Amino acid sequence: MHKIRLLEECITEFSRLPGIGRKSAARLSMHLLKIKKEDVLRLADKITLFRENIIICSECGGLSEDEICPICSDPKRDRRTLLVVEEAKDLFAIEQTGCYNGVYHVLGGKISPLEGIGPDKLRIRELTEKVKAGGVSEVIIATNPDLDGETTAVYLFKLLKDYSAAVTKLASGLALGTHIEYADELTVLRAIEGRREMY
Ligand SMILES: [Zn+2]
């Protein structure tokens, strides 16, 4: 079979992306030849800009263009309510619903003994420090409803239960195995509204 090297390389790069198989990767590559060259260059430019300029917010651990993200620097957000998520993509999914007005804390993953990820590899110390410092009245734990997510939730509860903040957990709308990033807005909204204190 005759192969065109540049096309093959483009397909290979696309197929490295999540959810993109070789067929989709081939379709995307072919599509780039159909649209205007300047549109392709703009896309490439946006990807580069995005990758080079997005940093981690020093307060919440979410994505930002500046040292402090727009959520953490918004005076209208309720800083007494802290919602803890595994990844920035979960923060993004909850923020999309527009129903949460507190601030966030992104752990940067979840405790996973099988993958060798212990609490020290996550932003847990930063979370404890925030709660210890006072000013937080509720910590909402919004880890995902899988084994590692639950382990992380229980770990955080034990760690935080002796401080003055209430520790709550999302309601069971999300307990059916749906991860936050895939849940529809209504499910996320119900899970936040129906949150309960742990234990
Ligand atoms: Zn932030």
Side-chain angles (χ1 to χ4, degrees), residues 61-63 71 83-98 100 104-110 141-146 149 170 174 178-183 188 192:
L63 303 182
I71 299 170
L83 192 144
V84 182
V85 289
E86 290 169 17
E87 307 269 4
K89 61 188 175 189
D90 302 319
L91 182 162
F92 188 75
I94 292 171
E95 201 54 21
Q96 290 294 99
T97 68
Y100 176 68
Y104 295 90
H105 186 89
V106 181
L107 295 171
K110 54 190 163 185
I141 298 179
T143 50
N144 280 304
D146 52 32
L170 291 193
L174 276 173
T178 316
H179 280 213
I180 294 168
E181 65 172 311
Y182 302 122
V188 174
I192 294 176

Side-chain angles (χ1 to χ4, degrees), residues 47-67:
I47 292 173
T48 310
L49 267 175
F50 171 72
R51 189 60 186 88
E52 284 185 344
N53 295 291
I54 293 286
I55 53 170
I56 298 296
C57 168
S58 62
E59 278 195 29
C60 69
L63 303 182
S64 185
E65 286 177 62
D66 304 300
E67 204 206 327

Side-chain angles (χ1 to χ4, degrees), residues 11 22 71 118 132 145 158 160:
I11 293 172
R22 264 197 86 77
I71 299 170
K132 234 192 239 180
K158 285 181 180 160
L160 301 174

Side-chain angles (χ1 to χ4, degrees), residues 29-185:
S29 305
M30 293 300 183
H31 179 72
L32 296 183
L33 296 174
K34 271 194 208 154
I35 59 178
K36 283 192 211 139
K37 194 175 166 186
E38 61 252 41
D39 289 344
V40 180
L41 296 179
R42 193 181 55 242
L43 172 65
D45 193 40
K46 294 288 178 203
I47 292 173
T48 310
L49 267 175
F50 171 72
R51 189 60 186 88
E52 284 185 344
N53 295 291
I54 293 286
I55 53 170
I56 298 296
C57 168
S58 62
E59 278 195 29
C60 69
L63 303 182
S64 185
E65 286 177 62
D66 304 300
E67 204 206 327
I68 310 285
C69 78
I71 299 170
C72 291
S73 48
D74 184 350
K76 290 196 224 58
R77 304 292 293 228
D78 172 15
R79 309 186 71 78
R80 290 164 305 162
T81 312
L82 194 59
L83 192 144
V84 182
V85 289
E86 290 169 17
E87 307 269 4
K89 61 188 175 189
D90 302 319
L91 182 162
F92 188 75
I94 292 171
E95 201 54 21
Q96 290 294 99
T97 68
C99 65
Y100 176 68
N101 193 45
V103 290
Y104 295 90
H105 186 89
V106 181
L107 295 171
K110 54 190 163 185
I111 298 170
S112 177
L114 279 179
E115 288 174 37
I117 302 170
D120 52 312
K121 297 230 170 93
L122 306 172
R123 298 180 67 254
I124 288 179
R125 190 174 43 83
E126 290 89 335
L127 173 64
T128 319
E129 274 165 17
K130 274 183 204 172
V131 177
K132 234 192 239 180
V136 177
S137 59
E138 182 182 358
V139 178
I140 307 170
I141 298 179
T143 50
N144 280 304
D146 52 32
L147 189 61
D148 290 340
E150 291 299 324
T151 305
T152 310
V154 171
Y155 181 88
L156 293 179
F157 171 74
K158 285 181 180 160
L159 201 65
L160 301 174
K161 70 179 166 45
D162 296 330
Y163 299 108
S164 59
V167 182
T168 60
K169 195 164 171 291
L170 291 193
S172 57
L174 276 173
L176 303 168
T178 316
H179 280 213
I180 294 168
E181 65 172 311
Y182 302 122
D184 61 83
E185 291 184 10

